[in-house]
Amino acid sequence: MKYKRDQMMYAAILGWFSFCWFGWAQADPRADWRIWIALADGIALLVSFAGGILSFRNWHKASALDKNSSWKWYLIFLISEFVLALIGAIFLISKNQINYISLWISFVVAIHFFGLKFVFRDYSLFVLGGIMLFMTIIAHPLANYFNVDQSAIIGIANGFCLLVFALIGLRLGLRKNK
């Protein structure tokens, strides 16, 4: 990623969704995990706010979304992600399989990062998508092992991944001039 504004938006957006995933993890984790999830959730929210403020202060700077059809493709991936997540969630609810909604949403979010790599020309989005996809695959067996709801495992895993990438975005953005 070569644009300061985009790095700050990474911090804001990934930090916010890290906060959301850690929130989902709090639905039914082990009791001794709660404090750690809550602390991580608070850090994610602070990173999101910092990224949001810094992206606002750098809004005049260039962005990958200024290029050719990047904005159009960004919207296509974003809207497709929400539509697929919603359709899958409604289907799972109709089949009384609500415990799989977090895994479905995680799968859709992971896959959307592969498309966003081409919008932002940032290979780290492949890495993020790959890690989230891997965690989606192993969440069910880990949930069984730890005797917790799948949402606790996938919420912690995705929250942590997104927080790490948000912090990296924040750090890189603070170092960039353009």
Side-chain angles (χ1 to χ4, degrees):
M1 171 80 49
K2 66 181 189 176
Y3 299 107
K4 181 179 188 104
R5 182 175 124 193
D6 293 342
Q7 290 289 1
M8 295 306 172
M9 284 304 294
Y10 268 25
I13 293 169
L14 298 180
W16 176 256
F17 284 105
S18 171
F19 170 75
C20 294
W21 278 105
F22 281 129
W24 205 342
Q26 293 183 52
D28 194 22
R30 290 174 38 170
D32 57 331
W33 294 1
R34 286 191 186 278
I35 187 68
W36 301 108
I37 297 169
L39 286 171
D41 213 8
I43 293 168
L45 188 58
L46 290 174
V47 170
S48 179
F49 284 156
I53 291 166
L54 290 168
S55 65
F56 176 77
R57 292 184 64 188
N58 288 281
W59 204 255
H60 61 284
K61 299 204 180 220
S63 168
L65 297 178
D66 296 337
K67 307 290 184 202
N68 302 324
S69 61
S70 294
W71 178 248
K72 176 183 80 171
W73 282 107
Y74 173 76
L75 289 176
I76 288 170
F77 287 122
L78 183 69
I79 293 167
S80 298
E81 171 193 18
F82 282 107
V83 169
L84 285 172
L86 180 62
I87 290 169
I90 290 170
F91 175 77
L92 290 167
I93 290 168
S94 75
K95 298 297 182 185
N96 201 26
Q97 297 293 319
I98 60 172
N99 57 322
Y100 288 100
I101 292 174
S102 61
L103 295 180
W104 171 251
I105 304 256
S106 180
F107 172 76
V108 172
V109 170
I111 296 302
H112 110 285
F113 282 117
F114 295 116
L116 289 182
K117 178 270 174 212
F118 297 103
V119 172
F120 290 100
R121 294 173 185 82
D122 183 356
Y123 286 98
S124 72
L125 294 173
F126 271 164
V127 176
L128 177 56
I131 293 169
M132 289 180 71
L133 190 57
F134 176 74
M135 293 312 302
T136 301
I137 292 167
I138 66 168
H140 183 75
L142 283 176
N144 287 339
Y145 177 79
F146 286 108
N147 196 31
V148 295
D149 192 78
Q150 295 169 140
S151 65
I153 298 296
I154 203 64
I156 292 168
N158 286 345
F160 181 76
C161 291
L162 291 167
L163 180 57
V164 167
F165 277 79
L167 287 167
I168 291 169
L170 190 61
R171 175 141 166 56
L172 292 175
L174 289 170
R175 296 175 53 195
K176 287 194 183 304
N177 291 325
K178 61 176 185 171

